[in-house]
Amino acid sequence: MYGLYRIVLFTIFDILKGLASPFFIFIFFIIYFQYYKKTEVPLKATIISILYGIVGGMIVTVALIYLKIYIIPLEYIYILITSLLLSIIDSRFICFSYGGSLLSLMSLVFHYPKINITELMIVISLLHAVEGVLILINGSSQKMFNIFNIKGQIKDGYEFNRFWPIPFVVFIGDTMIKPFLLFAILSYGDFTIGRFPRKKTLETSLMLLLYSSILFTITMISPYKFIAPIFSLLAHELIIFINIYRERSNLNSLKSIIKGVNVTGINSKGIGKELGLKTGDIIVRINHYHVKNSKDFIELSQKSFNKVKIEYFNHKKGLVKKKYRGKKNSLGIKIS
């Protein structure tokens, strides 16, 4: 127990020192930018993600020490850079299961870069076990109400977008006396149709914990090194496919209810007119703020804006997102 206490203590010190590094600051802005695109308070979401990520990093560090995993930091710098580049294509590709698996297969086929695939797959399985736990306790935080058009059916629900930077300490050398701080980034992008976001995060968490357990087992017992990275890549995509399939299969059993306020009139000099809102449209969000009823809207309609984003549902066009930038003006929208 005393040994575990010392490991945790030194891990905290190393992680706190690493938070001031230029590399971590770069990761901070990457995550902030992801939240900036999707949430109303990106700084708060980023700070909360960092705090949870530190706890996750401590868990990974302790597990690596007890499993006696020795790591070459250069391998993980390759993976992190690859993951960041892949995230430009789609934010979900920032997950290490993609960058790590692709580099492992490249190493097997082309013998470059040199990567210890067994240890890498163990780290990826541990990271996903931690991700499963983080989704369970923090996955529904900053969830966003949204309207989805799936197979021509309009349904409302929630969208999840969470990112956790995981700073973890590894040790180089046979005697494990040289600590080295590395960073991983875990992401959770998902959606659910209906009113049960906590149920969805619980299901996803359990699937990731199962995925992590199977990947760890395959890595430890399989004599063929290519099986683990292929499983890591395909099984991760399978989880995403299952989530989407389950939501689509539930379409017919869920009633379409769009929460918002009905537009009954438009002022000819207001922002609403300029953005093209019509009588009969349903306003669902203003500046990321979900407008559920007339009380929510009245608080916003009393203000003047020189920059505003309005999301509304039009029965012909579906969900429409419009931005206004210009002189300060009122919304000029009447509702029922």
Side-chain angles (χ1 to χ4, degrees):
M1 183 61 71
Y2 179 68
L4 178 61
Y5 166 78
R6 292 186 63 187
I7 290 171
V8 172
L9 185 63
F10 284 116
T11 297
I12 292 174
F13 287 151
D14 283 326
I15 288 175
L16 290 177
K17 286 191 295 183
L19 297 184
S21 68
F23 197 62
F24 177 78
I25 294 172
F26 174 68
I27 292 175
F28 175 92
F29 282 108
I30 288 286
I31 294 175
Y32 177 84
F33 176 71
Q34 296 291 344
Y35 282 135
Y36 181 79
K37 296 187 296 182
K38 302 175 184 293
T39 65
E40 185 180 3
V41 281
L43 182 59
K44 177 184 176 182
T46 303
I47 292 172
I48 291 174
S49 290
I50 289 171
L51 294 176
Y52 277 104
I54 289 172
V55 175
M58 291 170 55
I59 295 172
V60 172
T61 298
V62 172
L64 290 175
I65 291 172
Y66 276 90
L67 289 171
K68 297 182 179 179
I69 300 296
Y70 310 109
I71 294 174
I72 300 174
L74 186 59
E75 295 178 2
Y76 292 87
I77 293 174
Y78 288 149
I79 297 165
L80 184 58
I81 293 173
T82 303
S83 298
L84 291 174
L85 291 175
L86 288 173
S87 71
I88 298 173
I89 302 172
D90 192 300
S91 60
R92 82 174 193 273
F93 292 146
I94 203 170
C95 178
F96 265 33
S97 61
Y98 296 100
S101 298
L102 289 174
L103 283 176
S104 295
L105 293 173
M106 186 183 298
S107 178
L108 285 170
V109 175
F110 301 107
H111 306 291
Y112 184 85
K114 295 292 184 181
I115 290 177
N116 188 318
I117 296 171
T118 298
E119 293 184 351
L120 173 57
M121 289 298 111
I122 290 174
V123 172
I124 290 176
S125 68
L126 290 174
L127 288 173
H128 280 82
V130 170
E131 182 181 0
V133 174
L134 290 176
I135 289 173
L136 182 64
I137 61 179
N138 185 235
S140 60
S141 175
Q142 303 292 327
K143 62 182 178 295
M144 293 178 61
F145 175 83
N146 209 342
I147 294 175
F148 304 95
N149 187 342
I150 302 177
K151 295 183 178 179
Q153 298 188 55
I154 306 300
K155 303 289 183 179
D156 64 346
Y158 292 93
E159 185 178 359
F160 309 100
N161 286 284
R162 300 298 292 160
F163 302 89
W164 298 284
I166 306 293
F168 60 101
V169 179
V170 297
F171 294 86
I172 308 169
D174 296 336
T175 57
M176 298 181 66
I177 58 172
K178 298 178 181 178
F180 194 93
L181 184 66
L182 295 174
F183 291 96
I185 301 176
L186 302 180
S187 66
Y188 174 50
D190 205 350
F191 73 99
T192 183
I193 298 171
R195 307 273 192 275
F196 307 102
R198 285 295 298 164
K199 180 181 177 182
K200 182 57 181 285
T201 53
L202 174 61
E203 291 174 352
T204 304
S205 173
L206 293 176
M207 281 195 289
L208 278 174
L209 290 171
L210 178 62
Y211 163 85
S212 170
S213 301
I214 296 174
L215 177 59
F216 182 84
T217 303
I218 290 174
T219 302
M220 297 299 289
I221 67 174
S222 175
Y224 305 105
K225 290 187 176 182
F226 63 87
I227 293 180
I230 290 176
F231 173 84
S232 171
L233 196 62
L234 296 182
H236 201 278
E237 282 295 293
L238 179 63
I239 291 173
I240 295 172
F241 173 80
I242 290 172
N243 280 332
I244 296 174
Y245 176 80
R246 291 188 66 179
E247 295 298 335
R248 288 181 174 176
S249 64
N250 289 332
L251 280 175
N252 296 329
S253 62
L254 293 169
K255 189 177 179 181
S256 179
I257 303 174
I258 300 172
K259 283 190 174 182
V261 293
N262 295 306
V263 177
T264 58
I266 301 291
N267 189 315
S268 60
K269 296 182 180 179
I271 293 174
K273 179 72 173 179
E274 186 163 339
L275 295 184
L277 274 81
K278 305 289 184 183
T279 299
D281 292 339
I282 303 173
I283 298 174
V284 294
R285 190 180 291 125
I286 298 176
N287 283 347
H288 301 294
Y289 183 81
H290 182 201
V291 182
K292 301 177 184 177
N293 48 49
S294 58
K295 181 183 177 181
D296 293 339
F297 180 80
I298 289 170
E299 293 177 1
L300 292 168
S301 64
Q302 294 172 349
K303 302 177 181 179
S304 293
F305 300 89
N306 58 8
K307 183 172 67 172
V308 66
K309 178 181 178 182
I310 299 179
E311 298 180 31
Y312 62 94
F313 176 76
N314 179 277
H315 290 277
K316 291 183 178 179
K317 300 177 181 178
L319 186 64
V320 181
K321 301 179 182 181
K322 292 287 186 72
K323 292 182 179 180
Y324 170 82
R325 292 178 183 270
K327 295 181 179 180
K328 258 194 172 181
N329 200 356
S330 62
L331 294 176
I333 301 170
K334 298 178 183 179
I335 65 160
S336 59

